[in-house]
Amino acid sequence: MSIVVPAYNEGEEIAPFLSRVAATVTLPFELLVVVDTPEDTTIPVVERFSSTDDRIRCVISSYGRGPAHALRYGFDTAAAPTVVVTMADGSDDPRQIDELTVLVERGVVVAAGSRYMAGGQQIGGPRLKRTLSRLAGNSLHLFAGIGTRDATNSFKAYNADFVRTVQIQSRDGFEIGLELTAKARRARLPVAELPTIWLDRTAGASNFQLRKWIPKYLRWYFFAFGRPLAVADVADAARGTKGNR
């Protein structure tokens, strides 16, 4: 699989994450740490790891600043048929990367790490963000049949061909996980989930901007409830060039 990790001035804080991935992922992988600029403090740390582990490398996005552009660039750079998105702060459990990848290899187009299903848990993080995320995930699961109770979680594995077909249209925050899950639902393609335990970062600062990005999440939340579409029509429907109701 290709593991895509957006990063912004993580510096030495990314080192434990890189060590855990290298030690725990057993399937063949490449790990792409995507940064915005050549001055990012993440780069020297990743280069230190890549000097002894050629599976790990840092790439500089040419698509613009911010996590959505970093993720888009990572998807377009990834070489493997399965792409796993995870965060540089260590909040996700890298031991589950193999399991999520196997689900995609078995035929789902999105495999989600779920904090809100039985066996999952979220520890820490802002209370309002946790509440809204849980409400969105459970309501999409119950009323839209989206296939996971945690559609907003970024920790997911994707079929790369599916992503290329439906395209990534988000340009701002971390809503790509919800966008692609909603698009899978509109195309009536399979989505699966595994329980995961999410731990809030213990060092550094989160770049999540709740107030700014809520409208972006709402766009994809409501998109998930539309009528079934052929997978080739999903991107046009999201742009409004085909009916999305």
Side-chain angles (χ1 to χ4, degrees):
M1 84 289 288
S2 296
I3 304 169
V4 173
V5 183
Y8 177 74
N9 286 335
E10 290 287 340
E12 287 293 335
E13 304 298 343
I14 199 172
F17 162 79
L18 297 175
S19 295
R20 282 194 290 269
V21 171
T24 59
V25 177
T26 64
L27 296 173
F29 72 88
E30 63 169 355
L31 193 160
L32 305 175
V33 179
V34 188
V35 298
D36 293 337
T37 68
E39 296 75 33
D40 195 290
T41 63
T42 313
I43 296 175
V45 182
V46 178
E47 288 180 341
R48 189 174 76 232
F49 275 81
S50 63
S51 67
T52 57
D53 189 339
D54 62 7
R55 300 173 300 178
I56 299 171
R57 61 191 174 105
C58 199
V59 294
I60 302 170
S61 170
S62 60
Y63 290 180
R65 292 176 178 264
H69 291 300
L71 288 170
R72 288 175 52 238
Y73 187 86
F75 271 97
D76 287 347
T77 306
T82 299
V83 177
V84 179
V85 173
T86 186
M87 297 296 107
D89 58 11
S91 56
D92 303 317
D93 185 351
R95 295 175 301 176
Q96 296 181 296
I97 291 174
D98 284 339
E99 296 177 280
L100 293 171
T101 298
V102 169
L103 280 174
V104 174
E105 290 176 344
R106 291 175 59 195
V108 307
V109 296
V110 180
S114 176
R115 299 163 289 183
Y116 308 134
M117 68 180 295
Q121 192 174 357
Q122 180 170 352
I123 300 173
R127 179 174 295 180
L128 178 59
K129 177 185 171 185
R130 295 200 316 262
T131 301
L132 292 175
S133 173
R134 183 183 291 271
L135 179 62
N138 284 326
S139 59
L140 284 169
H141 180 262
L142 183 62
F143 299 116
I146 207 167
T148 173
R149 298 163 183 83
D150 199 354
T152 64
N153 196 1
S154 295
F155 187 32
K156 292 185 174 76
Y158 302 92
N159 178 291
D161 286 338
F162 160 75
V163 176
R164 293 187 190 102
T165 301
V166 301
Q167 304 174 22
I168 296 173
Q169 292 161 291
S170 298
R171 294 294 184 268
D172 291 297
F174 289 98
E175 70 270 21
I176 285 173
L178 177 56
E179 173 190 347
L180 293 174
T181 310
K183 287 179 172 180
R185 176 55 187 159
R186 291 295 298 274
R188 299 303 190 260
L189 294 173
V191 175
E193 63 180 357
L194 292 171
T196 195
I197 297 177
W198 183 95
L199 300 172
D200 194 20
R201 65 185 301 154
T202 56
S206 171
N207 293 313
F208 192 91
Q209 302 173 47
L210 184 64
R211 181 177 297 180
K212 176 182 177 182
W213 292 339
I214 278 180
K216 314 295 184 181
Y217 280 86
L218 286 174
R219 173 192 178 188
W220 299 115
Y221 178 91
F222 289 115
F223 183 79
F225 287 91
R227 64 177 177 80
L229 295 165
V231 65
D233 293 335
V234 169
D236 285 342
R239 292 188 193 95
T241 55
K242 285 184 179 289
N244 63 4
R245 293 181 178 274

